[in-house]
Amino acid sequence: MGNGAKAAQKRERNAKETKVAKSQLKSNVKAMDIQCQICKSTFLKTTRAPQLTEHAVNKHSKTLPECFPGYEAPAK
């Protein structure tokens, strides 16, 4: 068996082991479940209160409860 055949066999073996990369874009879109009631911007469910407060103050000059009335801090 020559080196060419070995290389071809190795390529075949590696091709079988190769996994297809999966995109997270669809799951990220599904996780966007916090929505600003004023501008309808969506945020990931893992977004914390300081980031939401910053959005409310900077974009709308309002408080967190005014922009996100149903927001509850996630349990740690």
Side-chain angles (χ1 to χ4, degrees):
M1 197 186 285
N3 286 337
K6 287 182 183 178
Q9 285 179 339
K10 188 168 185 166
R11 277 193 296 273
E12 287 177 20
R13 260 187 271 128
N14 288 339
K16 290 179 185 176
E17 295 173 7
T18 304
K19 296 181 181 178
V20 178
K22 295 182 181 178
S23 175
Q24 273 192 301
L25 293 176
K26 290 180 183 177
S27 58
N28 286 350
V29 169
K30 290 178 186 175
M32 298 273 217
D33 64 346
I34 299 174
Q35 187 177 41
C36 176
Q37 295 301 308
I38 296 164
C39 66
K40 303 299 182 190
S41 292
T42 55
F43 298 87
L44 286 172
K45 65 174 89 180
T46 57
T47 305
R48 303 281 183 204
Q51 291 173 311
L52 297 176
T53 303
E54 181 180 350
H55 169 83
V57 171
N58 291 341
K59 297 282 184 180
H60 310 297
S61 300
K62 297 190 183 277
T63 62
L64 178 69
E66 290 174 318
C67 288
F68 305 97
Y71 177 75
E72 295 178 12
K76 289 184 178 181

